[in-house]
């Protein structure tokens, strides 16, 4: 099997849709690349944020429920979502996030990189990792920062750095990533093991997963401010089908392929590996330019064909959104 080249997207649960849009577009400077609905619950939005065109490795998505109760971090969910920013940008980011009213932690060093921690208004733990890895991403074009979100290009986020997963059984989880996904151990520090997609994929955003050893962690509770699932990339449908076959051969329950309009998805989890974190493998294609031009991404409510006959009903039920202006 080919290796998984990195994270495709991360999906979380947030509070009111407008607050979500204001935080991730107007504060973090991400582009709203798709406005659609939860395909299993069309009474709520599914909002996608990313780089200029929503490339794999840059997409943070939300199910925003206005009355969602706060979740509880714990086993079974990612404990931090990390973004990649250029080296030397953390002073500017600390000032920006503080002025926006986010809870901002102190700057730290982790694996020789500067890290700024913060908590979004919805309670989601965020990290900004400043490193010169952005130079290879800029050169390769695997992520292109959105420069109309109020953040200068020299500070703008280049997609994900990675995610932190609590690991009750760290050796077993490392085995999953190294022996099955084809990743590499990139170091260990304090209670963390850093895993990285193969070096040939080094210019991809979202190429890092940190395992945080938590041998006695209590189960988490899904709710506002928690990650619902972490999706990894498959380059095409054929590669995804091979992963589905291999995981099933290992005795893992894997879903049938689900059509998510902008990618195809399969889902699985295994408590022994990651305390039950829900994983997805999503295809790169067809992508977010499938039904909108680059200039109009995210500007209209897009529905799957099965919901088009209910458009009036769905639009009436959804709250109005004041989208950020761009210039």
């Amino acid at each position: 099997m080919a290796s998984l080249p990195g994270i495709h997207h991360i999906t979380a649960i947030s509070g009111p849709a407008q607050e979500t849009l204001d935080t991730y577009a107007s504060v973090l400077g991400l582009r709203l690349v798709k406005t659609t609905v939860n395909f299993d619950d069309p009474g709520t939005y599914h909002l996608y944020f990313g780089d200029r065109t929503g490339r794999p490795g840059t997409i943070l998505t939300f199910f925003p429920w206005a009355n969602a109760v706060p979740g509880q971090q714990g086993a079974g969910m990612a404990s931090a979502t990390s973004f990649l920013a250029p080296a030397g940008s953390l002073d500017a980011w600390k000032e920006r996030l503080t002025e926006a009213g986010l809870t901002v932690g102190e700057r730290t060093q982790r694996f020789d990189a500067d890290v700024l921690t913060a908590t979004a208004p919805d309670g989601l733990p965020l990290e900004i990792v400043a490193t010169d890895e952005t130079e290879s991403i800029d050169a390769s074009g695997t992520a292109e920062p959105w420069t109309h979100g109020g953040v200068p290009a020299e500070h703008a986020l280049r997609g994900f750095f990675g995610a932190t997963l609590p690991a009750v059984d760290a050796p077993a989880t490392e085995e999953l990533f190294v022996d099955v996904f084809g990743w590499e151990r990139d170091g260990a520090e304090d209670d963390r093991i850093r895993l990285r997609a193969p070096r040939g994929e080094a210019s991809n955003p979202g190429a890092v997963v940190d395992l945080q050893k938590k041998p006695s962690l209590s189960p988490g509770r899904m709710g506002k401010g928690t990650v619902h699932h972490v999706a990894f990339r498959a380059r095409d449908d054929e590669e995804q089908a091979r992963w589905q076959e291999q995981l099933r051969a290992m005795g893992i329950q894997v879903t049938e392929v689900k059509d998510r309009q902008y990618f195809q998805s399969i889902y699985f989890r295994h408590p022994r590996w990651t305390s039950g974190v829900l994983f997805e493998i999503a295809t790169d294609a067809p992508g977010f330019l499938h039904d909108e031009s680059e200039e109009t991404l995210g500007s209209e409510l897009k529905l799957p064909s099965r919901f088009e006959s209910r458009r009036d009903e769905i639009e009436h039920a959804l709250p109005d959104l004041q989208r950020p202006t761009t210039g």
Side-chain angles (χ1 to χ4, degrees):
M1 281 294 299
S3 60
L4 289 175
I7 292 171
H8 183 282
H9 68 269
I10 295 174
T11 294
I13 297 172
S14 63
Q18 187 64 55
E19 178 186 78
T20 302
L21 182 56
D22 292 343
T23 299
Y24 296 96
S26 298
V27 178
L28 289 183
L30 303 176
R31 186 178 192 184
L32 177 66
V33 295
K34 196 61 60 181
T35 306
T36 185
V37 294
N38 183 334
F39 288 5
D40 300 315
D41 176 15
T44 189
Y45 284 112
H46 194 174
L47 303 178
Y48 291 76
F49 300 89
D51 76 343
R52 178 178 292 276
T53 58
R55 292 172 177 85
T58 74
I59 297 296
L60 179 61
T61 96
F62 288 94
F63 300 130
W65 283 300
N67 299 315
V69 299
Q72 177 65 51
Q73 297 291 332
M77 59 185 61
S79 56
T81 299
S82 303
F83 291 97
L84 184 61
S89 65
L90 288 193
D91 286 342
W93 273 110
K94 184 172 184 177
E95 181 179 357
R96 182 177 183 85
L97 299 182
T98 301
E99 288 181 352
L102 274 67
T103 302
V104 181
E106 294 299 319
R107 289 175 52 169
T108 60
Q109 277 264 321
R110 188 186 302 154
F111 294 100
D112 297 323
D114 290 327
V115 181
L116 181 67
T117 61
T119 304
D122 56 26
L124 187 69
L126 304 173
E127 297 176 342
I128 298 178
V129 181
T131 167
D132 57 12
E133 290 181 30
T134 56
E135 296 176 6
S136 63
I137 288 176
D138 290 346
S140 66
T142 51
E144 184 178 358
W146 178 236
T147 56
H148 300 292
V151 180
E154 63 267 25
H155 300 151
L157 302 177
R158 266 61 170 181
F160 292 124
F161 179 75
T164 300
L165 304 180
V168 173
D169 188 343
T173 308
E174 183 176 357
E175 178 184 338
L176 166 69
F177 277 87
V178 174
D179 295 346
V180 181
F181 290 173
W183 287 35
E184 305 166 354
R185 177 190 267 243
D186 197 42
E189 182 176 283
D190 299 326
D191 64 344
R192 291 176 181 262
I193 298 170
R194 173 150 294 176
L195 304 172
R196 187 179 287 269
R199 290 297 177 180
E201 313 286 358
S203 61
N204 284 336
V208 169
V209 164
D210 278 357
L211 303 182
Q212 194 167 17
K213 301 175 187 177
K214 297 284 187 179
S216 59
L217 187 64
S218 299
R221 184 184 69 247
M222 201 63 68
K224 182 173 67 172
T226 61
V227 170
H228 185 270
H229 64 267
V230 178
F232 295 92
R233 294 175 55 196
R235 297 167 182 84
D236 51 39
D237 293 346
E238 291 75 16
E239 185 174 287
Q240 182 188 67
R242 291 196 295 271
W243 281 110
Q244 183 186 53
E245 181 181 2
Q246 176 173 332
L247 290 166
R248 285 177 172 172
M250 296 170 62
I252 307 304
Q253 290 188 342
V254 185
T255 67
E256 296 300 322
V257 175
K258 297 181 182 293
D259 184 357
R260 298 310 192 193
Q261 196 90 345
Y262 309 105
F263 44 86
Q264 305 294 316
S265 300
I266 57 173
Y267 300 86
F268 67 98
R269 69 172 93 223
H270 196 299
R272 174 174 171 261
W273 283 337
T274 55
S275 313
V277 173
L278 180 62
F279 285 148
E280 174 182 349
I281 298 178
T283 57
D284 285 357
F288 295 97
L289 297 173
H290 171 63
D291 56 4
E292 288 181 290
S293 68
E294 181 176 334
E295 292 72 27
T296 62
L297 277 176
S299 62
E300 297 179 0
L301 178 66
K302 294 296 180 181
L303 299 176
S305 57
R306 69 178 184 273
F307 290 151
E308 276 296 345
S309 64
R310 298 174 54 192
R311 177 173 284 273
D312 289 346
E313 169 199 343
I314 290 170
E315 288 183 338
H316 181 73
L318 294 171
D320 291 334
L321 284 178
Q322 183 64 46
R323 289 171 171 79
T325 58
T326 60

